[in-house]
Amino acid sequence: MLEPAAVRLDAVATGRDDAIRQCGEALLAVGAIDSSYVDSMIQRERSISTYVGEGVAIPHGTLDGKESVRRDALSFVRFPDGVDWDGNLVQVCIGIAAKGDGHIGILSSLARILMDPAQAKTLRETNDAEAVIELLAPVGEDEDE
Amino acid sequence: MTSIESKDIHKIVVACDAGMGSSVMLASTLRKELKKLGIEVTHTPVNQIPGDADIVICHVGLAQRAAVSAPSKILIPFQVFLGDPAVTKLVATIKSGGTVHA
């Protein structure tokens, strides 16, 4: 779902749309989408922000954009200097391409991480792609707290 | 419908545009919180809200579309994906067995 080739830890963006394009390019690089999906990600962001808190946004396409998804995949792009995201400062973008439910485990992990400020900080600051993948490793939804 | 008793809530649907991102995260968080109460929590695109949903949760920006797509459902709009006061209140009400108002 989240492959090392789709993890970029040292990106720079001129703004929100540029950051989204880079998330899309990482998805394109691993063959998860057709390039038209990237425009659908930007369109989606214009209707409702995908900022989820703790300096993290999760850009993804629209319902129509699903047709441009080849397989479920995620990308992780970090902008150490931050990107202005409609007034919020975003340092981590997790791009989502999904036609099935393959990404749900990782998003569940992300929700858990974001509710723990210390883990969220690690996600924003670690320089190790493997550590990012490990941190976001899917947790079973049936797992008891 | 403008209100529902907690005991009558069996299914909550988190709706978003594509059912791909934010709704998935919110649904996963709610599922964990409400699992012990036997309430099913799913996520769907806003134009595919299932008929057996008792409560629909969606971003304020989608509330109008949700109201058109599922007119008879109790709709809880939220602004923030994690820790929104409306969602926190909903969970607290359900856990205490109270009445949920639209």
Side-chain angles (χ1 to χ4, degrees):
Chain A
M1 277 303 303
L2 178 59
E3 300 160 37
V7 178
R8 293 168 189 186
L9 296 176
D10 205 13
V12 178
T14 56
R16 187 196 70 183
D17 288 2
D18 182 29
I20 295 170
R21 286 203 181 281
Q22 294 185 40
C23 287
E25 278 159 21
L27 290 169
L28 195 60
V30 295
I33 56 167
D34 294 329
S35 58
S36 61
Y37 185 73
V38 182
D39 290 328
S40 121
M41 293 171 81
I42 288 174
Q43 195 191 335
R44 166 63 175 79
E45 199 69 38
R46 285 181 182 156
S47 65
I48 298 171
S49 172
T50 62
Y51 181 73
V52 291
E54 288 289 344
V56 178
I58 53 167
H60 54 270
T62 58
L63 194 54
D64 293 340
K66 271 192 186 184
E67 287 166 18
S68 315
V69 175
R70 291 184 188 171
R71 63 180 174 86
D72 293 0
L74 299 174
S75 63
F76 183 102
V77 183
R78 190 173 62 186
F79 304 93
D81 295 335
V83 179
D84 175 45
W85 207 277
D86 310 314
N88 294 299
L89 186 72
V90 162
Q91 287 173 296
V92 168
C93 274
I94 297 177
I96 303 170
K99 53 199 312 180
D101 287 338
H103 62 309
I104 290 178
I106 287 182
L107 287 186
S108 300
S109 295
L110 180 62
R112 188 199 65 218
I113 290 166
L114 296 185
M115 287 197 277
D116 178 347
Q119 283 198 58
K121 188 167 186 282
T122 306
L123 189 71
R124 287 193 302 268
E125 295 180 357
T126 183
N127 280 313
D128 179 354
E130 287 299 333
V132 167
I133 292 170
E134 198 173 311
L135 196 59
L136 285 167
V139 281
E141 289 226 339
D142 294 330
E143 203 172 292
D144 277 324
E145 302 263 296
Chain B
M1 209 191 291
T2 56
S3 71
I4 186 168
E5 296 299 321
S6 292
K7 63 175 172 53
D8 297 327
I9 300 171
H10 303 292
K11 187 170 193 170
I12 295 177
V13 170
V14 183
C16 88
D17 177 60
M20 210 187 284
S22 44
S23 64
V24 174
M25 251 171 62
L26 181 56
S28 124
T29 312
L30 282 174
R31 197 171 296 134
K32 269 183 209 154
E33 292 220 53
L34 299 175
K35 192 174 65 174
K36 290 201 175 84
L37 299 171
I39 297 172
E40 184 191 352
V41 182
T42 63
H43 61 93
T44 68
V46 70
N47 58 353
Q48 293 169 19
I49 296 168
D52 61 348
D54 298 305
I55 292 181
V56 176
I57 302 178
C58 74
H59 191 274
V60 283
L62 287 172
Q64 230 170 352
R65 282 170 62 192
V68 170
S69 147
S72 61
K73 309 295 180 193
I74 291 177
L75 184 66
I76 311 276
F78 68 87
Q79 311 225 20
V80 196
F81 289 112
L82 293 171
D84 189 276
V87 176
T88 308
K89 187 180 156 202
L90 172 69
V91 171
T93 304
I94 293 175
K95 282 187 171 170
S96 67
T99 306
V100 175
H101 297 277

